[in-house]
């Protein structure tokens, strides 16, 4: 998903996918900036000559790309996975192709390095694991050219690691042979490698390896030349305080860079110019220290178009300042700024100004941007908006899941649809799917139906395509395989399974472990699973599709009502007499104040059990009390789906064990509510569980026609689950 709208005014509304002007080409290689939470980088990923942006969330390993698809407009696409979590090192380079940049990530705890192609704004790259056994605990990775035998046009890798023995910290040089990444050399380090970058010391000169070595007594900045196949020190600054950080820029019109060193939390920064006493020989000149009067959090050099500016974030990010800086005189404040929504996180250059990123107090990562224009010594706020969400979308696996589904599809036409039992591979758990023939029906209730509410009308004609529907609601036996993946994986050791399906299913985002026992003491074996969010139900459908090779999703409201009615037009599928409900469903008068095992009452005419009562069932739709009016105005509608645009409310249908009979009618509608999470102790509240909705569950459907990849993603991420 992307947005190409251009925001030109400070009055522009906040957007989920932002559009903003950005740099055409940096005059110096842009640094990757690192915060405790994120990495920020910029480069031309899609090879159109315009600079794009990337923001990496360390904890989740997800990254957000903003592509400048047309001059002056950046479109933020859905977040993508790096393949690992707890990312400690990030870099960009020609790793997978000689004509395109790829992203590289590493995690010390996972002891893993992954690479991802970032060239396409529409098709997410799939993480590729780099074989890495040369060291333990890779915490830094820098794509860089390493000379010597076997050198190709691809970038090689410098990897810093921190769990080795007997000396924990070392650097490792890896040759990029597109396969095994053989080790070229190990380099002992006096401390942990940090803040890795490629750096050109002078305009037009080759890029060199640059990183900090963080020791207990202090930090050392190292710039090394690897063209000979081994590291050769070019410049070194060994007198930095422990925990120091740095920025590099070009100031005062000089082609030589200036290194700005500082320690986050202190008031001063030190500028040290790169000097060239002899052609091709570099050194760091004497440093000048400048007191900025308040604790410095982060320094970003803004050098676009020959500008001589620093963006300095103060305190915990609440304020910042734009400073003119010529490399020698004290930085001069151009304008002080306050974060629009709590705390600045980072910034980047853009033509005629810069863009600043920020986050609200309750968020741990950047959520918004603000563009600033700089002209005539004045700073003016321009476009602003929201960055793309970090919500789970599992979009990288969807093409492979669809390929698996289409390869296993056996029914050539809807006439071949039959009832079937599906055993989840690698388990002994099975479920039954009932064929629902396509057809037309009147959706909603007539004006004279007892208990009718206004949101059930007007009645309107709807055409439904054929599908299968779960004979029963999804039980804990099924759902806990997804909820507790470690236990599900242990089953595979003794039960035949499908390795390809397991790999895809494992890649789907699984729920976090709940704080409490989620059946709330009402029973699990054969009982319906409850208290999951719509997002969790959607992700279960994606997981089940990957495991089985058949496409599953939640039903739309129209599909649910069509299946529940089973060709009838009465209030209930068994007639209008609510007194007969006890024969077909569990509700407040016969449930003993809890849900019951599935399939114990009489089914409807199409063989669906508990379609009224027991637990209300999630649908795909955004609940809108006026949606039927829109449908009726369009005449006959085909397979309607009111796609979600906000977290609440979503539709649930069918009534529950805790409801009176009137709520179990075929046409009865209801929407979800934030109060269903009222007692959830998490902040922000869980995207997976409801603490106060012990009567909501779901059943799955399988449309006869397999949808395209883009539609699959919309089905499985329809919840807009972030509160």
């Amino acid at each position: 998903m992307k947005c190409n709208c251009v925001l030109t005014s400070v009055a522009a509304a906040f957007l989920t996918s932002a559009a903003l002007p950005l740099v055409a080409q940096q005059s110096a290689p842009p640094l990757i900036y690192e915060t405790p939470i994120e990495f920020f980088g910029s480069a031309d990923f899609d090879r159109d000559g315009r600079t794009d942006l990337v923001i990496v969330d360390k904890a989740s390993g997800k990254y957000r790309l903003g592509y400048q698809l047309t001059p002056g407009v950046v479109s933020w696409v859905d977040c993508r996975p790096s393949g690992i979590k707890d990312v400690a090192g990030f870099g960009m380079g020609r790793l997978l192709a000689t004509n395109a940049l790829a992203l590289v990530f590493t995690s010390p705890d996972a002891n893993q390095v992954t690479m991802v192609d970032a060239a396409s704004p529409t098709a997410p790259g799939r993480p590729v694991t780099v074989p890495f056994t040369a060291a333990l605990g890779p915490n830094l990775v820098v794509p860089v050219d390493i000379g010597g035998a076997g050198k190709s046009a691809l970038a090689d890798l410098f990897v810093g690691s921190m769990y080795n023995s007997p000396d924990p910290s070392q650097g490792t040089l890896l040759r990029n042979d597109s396969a095994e990444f053989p080790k070229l050399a190990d380099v002992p380090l006096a401390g942990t490698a940090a803040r890795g970058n490629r750096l050109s010391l002078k305009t037009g000169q080759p890029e060199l390896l640059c990183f900090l070595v963080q020791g207990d007594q202090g930090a050392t900045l190292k710039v090394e030349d690897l063209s000979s196949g081994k590291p050769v020190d070019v410049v070194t600054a060994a007198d930095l305080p422990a925990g120091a950080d740095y920025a590099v820029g070009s100031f005062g019109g000089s082609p030589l860079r200036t290194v700005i060193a500082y320690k986050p939390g202190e008031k001063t920064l030190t500028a040290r110019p790169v000097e060239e006493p002899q052609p091709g020989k570099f050194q760091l000149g004497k440093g000048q220290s400048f007191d900025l009067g308040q604790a410095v959090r982060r320094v970003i050099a803004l050098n676009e178009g020959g500008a001589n500016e620093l963006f300095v974030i103060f305190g915990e990010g609440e304020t910042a300042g734009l400073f003119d800086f010529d490399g020698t005189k004290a930085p001069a404040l151009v304008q002080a700024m306050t974060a629009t929504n709590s705390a600045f996180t980072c910034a980047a250059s853009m033509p005629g100004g810069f863009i600043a990123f920020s986050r609200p107090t309750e968020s741990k990562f950047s959520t918004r941007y603000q563009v600033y224009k700089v002209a005539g010594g004045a700073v003016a706020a321009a476009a602003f908006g929201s960055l793309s969400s970090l919500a789970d979308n599992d979009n990288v696996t969807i093409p492979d899941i669809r390929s698996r589904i289409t390869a296993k599809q056996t029914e050539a036409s809807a006439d071949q649809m039959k009832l079937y039992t599906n055993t989840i591979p690698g388990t002994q758990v099975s479920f039954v799917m009932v064929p629902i023939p396509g057809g037309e029906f009147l959706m909603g209730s007539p004006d004279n139906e007892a208990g009718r509410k206004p949101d059930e009308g007007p009645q309107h004609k709807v055409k439904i395509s054929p599908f299968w529907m779960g004979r029963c609601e999804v039980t804990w036996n099924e759902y806990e395989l997804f909820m507790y993946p470690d236990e599900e994986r242990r089953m595979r050791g003794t039960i035949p399974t499908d390795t390809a399906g397991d790999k895809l299913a494992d890649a789907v985002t699984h729920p976090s472990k709940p704080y409490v026992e989620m059946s709330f003491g009402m029973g699990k074996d054969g009982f319906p699973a409850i208290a999951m969010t719509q997002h969790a139900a959607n992700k279960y459908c994606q997981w089940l599709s990957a495991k089985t090779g058949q496409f599953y999703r939640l039903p739309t409201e129209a599909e649910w009502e069509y299946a529940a009615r089973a060709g009838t037009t009465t209030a209930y599928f068994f007639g209008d007499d609510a007194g007969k409900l006890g024969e077909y469903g569990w509700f407040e008068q016969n449930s003993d104040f809890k849900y019951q095992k599935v399939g114990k009452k009489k089914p409807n005419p199409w063989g669906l059990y508990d379609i009224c009562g027991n637990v209300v069932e999630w649908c795909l739709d955004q609940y809108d009390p006026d949606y039927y009016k829109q449908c009726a105005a369009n005449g006959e509608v085909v397979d309607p789906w009111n796609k979600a645009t906000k977290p609440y409310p979503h539709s649930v249908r069918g009534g529950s064990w805790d409801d009176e009979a009137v709520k179990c009618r075929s046409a009865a509608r209801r929407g979800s509510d934030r109060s269903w999470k009222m007692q959830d102790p998490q902040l922000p509240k869980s995207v997976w569980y409801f603490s106060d909705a012990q009567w909501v569950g779901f059943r799955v459907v399988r449309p006869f026609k397999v949808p395209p990849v883009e539609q699959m993603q919309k089905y499985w991420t329809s919840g807009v689950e972030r509160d």
Side-chain angles (χ1 to χ4, degrees), residues 417-586:
M417 293 174 62
K418 299 182 183 302
L419 180 146
Y420 67 89
T421 299
N422 201 339
T423 299
I424 299 175
T427 79
Q428 295 179 333
V429 177
S430 62
F431 58 96
V432 178
M433 297 296 292
V434 176
I436 306 297
E440 293 181 346
F441 79 114
L442 275 179
M443 189 171 184
S445 60
D447 293 343
N448 61 352
E449 184 169 300
R452 181 185 190 270
K453 291 187 176 181
D455 65 353
E456 299 171 23
Q459 282 190 299
H460 54 286
K461 187 178 291 187
V462 173
K463 186 175 182 179
I464 298 294
S465 300
F467 61 95
W468 288 268
M469 183 175 243
R471 183 166 70 179
C472 296
E473 294 150 340
V474 172
T475 65
W476 284 116
N477 307 71
E478 302 159 60
Y479 190 73
E480 284 195 325
L481 297 173
F482 168 65
M483 188 170 164
Y484 298 118
D486 291 341
E487 295 182 17
E488 186 263 325
R489 292 186 189 106
R490 281 194 287 270
M491 292 184 185
R492 302 175 194 167
T494 58
I495 301 174
T497 186
D498 184 324
T499 302
D502 290 340
K503 184 177 180 181
L504 289 173
D506 289 346
V508 176
T509 306
H510 288 65
S512 56
K513 289 186 178 181
Y515 285 102
V516 298
E517 197 277 304
M518 293 306 296
S519 77
F520 300 95
M522 292 189 289
K524 285 195 172 180
D525 185 18
F527 290 91
I530 59 166
M532 74 291 293
T533 63
Q534 195 218 38
H535 170 68
N538 281 323
K539 289 290 119 177
Y540 173 83
C541 293
Q542 182 175 354
W543 173 85
L544 186 65
S545 301
K547 286 285 288 185
T548 62
Q550 293 168 330
F551 174 62
Y552 294 103
R553 60 167 170 82
L554 295 179
T556 64
E557 273 204 85
E559 288 169 336
W560 189 95
E561 185 172 328
Y562 176 72
R565 289 189 177 279
T568 66
T569 59
T570 50
Y572 307 88
F573 60 78
F574 51 81
D576 291 317
D577 184 4
K580 295 183 178 181
L581 179 58
E583 300 177 34
Y584 299 91
W586 301 102

Side-chain angles (χ1 to χ4, degrees), residues 605-660:
W606 283 347
L608 301 174
Y609 289 83
D610 303 304
I611 198 72
C612 53
N614 212 20
V615 294
V616 298
E617 299 173 11
W618 280 118
C619 295
L620 280 171
D621 300 63
Q622 187 95 72
Y623 171 77
D624 180 352
D626 296 323
Y627 184 59
Y628 287 9
K629 296 177 182 177
Q630 302 172 36
C631 294
N634 294 328
E636 183 183 67
V637 292
V638 178
D639 296 324
W641 171 27
N642 188 24
K643 297 180 179 64
T645 59
K646 54 187 178 180
Y648 297 101
H650 292 107
S651 295
V652 291
R653 300 293 294 263
S656 79
W657 59 268
D658 194 39
D659 288 325
E660 56 187 338

Side-chain angles (χ1 to χ4, degrees), residues 310-344:
L310 299 176
F311 184 78
V312 183
I313 300 172
F314 295 107
E316 295 300 321
E318 304 89 348
T319 62
L322 181 68
F323 292 82
D324 275 340
F325 184 54
D326 65 2
T328 57
K329 298 177 184 177
L333 180 65
V334 176
Q335 186 163 321
M337 286 163 283
T338 301
T340 56
N341 62 327
S342 181
F344 289 110

